[in-house]
Amino acid sequence: MHHYEVFGLQVSSEIELDEVPIGVGGDVWIRKDEVHRPNQATFENDVYAIEEQLFYLHIPDVGRFQVENGQAITVDPNPDATTEQLNLYLLGSCLGCILHQRQVVPLHGSVLDVEGHGLLITGQSGAGKSTIANAMINRGYPFVTDDVAAIAFKEDVPYVHLAYPSQKLWEDVVTRWEIETTKGVTRRVEGRTKFSVVRQQEFAKEMVPLQFIFEVSPVQDLTDVQMYHVTGIEKIKTLLTHTYRNKFLAHLGPHESYLQQIMRIASHIHVFRIERPIGIPLEQQICDMMLEQLHVKV
């Protein structure tokens, strides 16, 4: 068994989790064994099936995964699957589902530690959140997580747990920023390639209070970046929209505290929507705008 600490969880695993900090284990167990699709599921499609406190995932070239009761992940790997491929789903959908089962809110996005203030960049796939996060990292701001932001409350203040020192970036960003990649291709999406980039030196040292969320939205025919302050019910909707794997929620069993936690988070943070032109690299301008708002509000 290997022992790790990630998303505030102590994980014991038979599979090595690349780049994940060492821990003592014992909260969550990852083991190899046969996995079969559930006979009856509340919801299912070709990729996954969900029962109360049980999640099944099948990726044909990688393997089958089963997540149970917020404690156990069983992996039935394809013989040709690489550790990197297994890690992609273990550290993403599987541990994201573990957080849901444990009634921990996982938000979707990259989090930076900006002078002790947690700044989360979110948006739909391809919105540019990782590219903007990369620009912030290059300005010297440590990153806390690249994809899954697990929220914990300390004295009623929402904090973001540390993830692991690896960032996923599109090939065009890697090329334009001349970033060295020591790991292989993470995945291909709609003809685009994404790489994992090790960021050990740029990784944060401790969890950070979440204070700002910036939702990035590419807009057709827009010529310049625009930013709007999001308040009221729209703030709540933004948090619900950008909960990690939010489509799992309705099928994972009782989670009465979820909306209450979302409302608690909303009461402590500022939310902004950034509309940006499509296909134009404006991450530096966006970074300037985000930092300006942070310094105004703090």
Side-chain angles (χ1 to χ4, degrees):
M1 278 286 179
H2 308 276
H3 304 293
Y4 303 101
E5 182 174 2
V6 60
F7 306 136
L9 302 170
Q10 295 293 335
V11 179
S12 298
S13 177
E14 291 183 357
I15 297 171
E16 288 191 66
L17 303 178
D18 294 342
E19 315 303 337
V20 178
I22 299 300
V24 297
D27 291 337
V28 178
W29 299 83
I30 301 174
R31 294 184 172 92
K32 291 183 181 180
D33 203 348
E34 289 187 4
V35 172
H36 303 282
R37 178 178 284 271
N39 292 326
Q40 294 181 334
T42 305
F43 178 85
E44 62 182 328
N45 57 27
D46 291 339
V47 178
Y48 62 87
I50 300 175
E51 295 181 4
E52 185 175 316
Q53 290 294 300
L54 186 148
F55 171 72
Y56 165 89
L57 176 68
H58 180 204
I59 307 299
D61 294 332
V62 180
R64 293 178 170 85
F65 305 80
Q66 182 168 289
V67 183
E68 297 177 87
N69 300 317
Q71 294 181 316
I73 300 173
T74 308
V75 185
D76 190 352
N78 184 296
D80 297 325
T82 65
T83 300
E84 287 179 8
Q85 288 175 315
L86 294 173
N87 280 193
L88 176 64
Y89 295 97
L90 287 171
L91 294 171
S93 293
C94 290
L95 280 177
C97 193
I98 285 280
L99 293 170
H100 279 303
Q101 290 176 346
R102 296 173 77 95
Q103 300 193 7
V104 175
V105 172
L107 297 177
H108 183 206
S110 299
V111 178
L112 290 304
D113 182 342
V114 182
E115 302 167 6
H117 307 288
L119 185 157
L120 185 148
I121 305 166
T122 190
Q124 301 300 325
S125 178
K129 52 186 179 291
S130 293
T131 307
I132 298 166
N134 173 68
M136 291 289 287
I137 292 169
N138 276 272
R139 293 187 182 207
Y141 299 111
F143 85 99
V144 178
T145 184
D146 177 53
D147 195 36
V148 180
I151 307 300
F153 288 92
K154 292 174 60 177
E155 298 179 353
D156 203 41
V157 175
Y159 277 73
V160 182
H161 280 295
L162 291 174
Y164 50 94
S166 182
Q167 187 187 24
K168 300 178 185 68
L169 293 171
W170 295 110
E171 185 175 20
D172 60 312
V173 178
V174 168
T175 301
R176 180 157 54 86
W177 284 80
E178 299 181 347
I179 297 171
E180 181 179 352
T181 59
T182 57
K183 300 178 72 175
V185 173
T186 297
R187 59 184 175 131
R188 291 185 174 89
V189 181
E190 296 179 352
R192 301 178 70 197
T193 303
K194 212 165 198 180
F195 290 88
S196 285
V197 178
V198 177
R199 295 283 200 175
Q200 190 69 53
Q201 297 302 315
E202 297 89 350
F203 192 50
K205 304 301 182 185
E206 58 186 4
M207 61 195 304
V208 64
L210 179 63
Q211 293 178 283
F212 293 85
I213 291 183
F214 292 90
E215 179 193 46
V216 183
S217 299
V219 178
Q220 194 73 40
D221 299 327
L222 198 65
T223 58
D224 200 4
V225 180
Q226 300 179 7
M227 181 179 290
Y228 307 93
H229 194 194
V230 179
T231 60
I233 193 65
E234 283 301 314
K235 183 192 285 192
I236 302 293
K237 288 181 179 178
T238 300
L239 291 173
L240 293 171
T241 298
H242 298 293
T243 296
Y244 187 78
R245 300 293 189 261
N246 56 11
K247 59 188 175 184
F248 296 167
L249 278 171
H251 312 289
L252 284 173
H255 195 165
E256 293 86 356
S257 68
Y258 173 69
L259 186 57
Q260 293 177 348
Q261 291 185 68
I262 288 292
M263 294 177 71
R264 285 175 71 192
I265 294 168
S267 69
H268 286 276
I269 64 172
H270 300 284
V271 177
F272 294 87
R273 180 169 295 119
I274 299 172
E275 294 184 350
R276 55 172 290 265
I278 295 174
I280 304 175
L282 295 171
E283 58 265 26
Q284 297 294 2
Q285 181 181 343
I286 292 172
C287 288
D288 290 340
M289 295 173 73
M290 293 192 304
L291 291 172
E292 181 181 356
Q293 286 298 333
L294 183 144
H295 291 131
V296 166
K297 296 295 184 182
V298 170

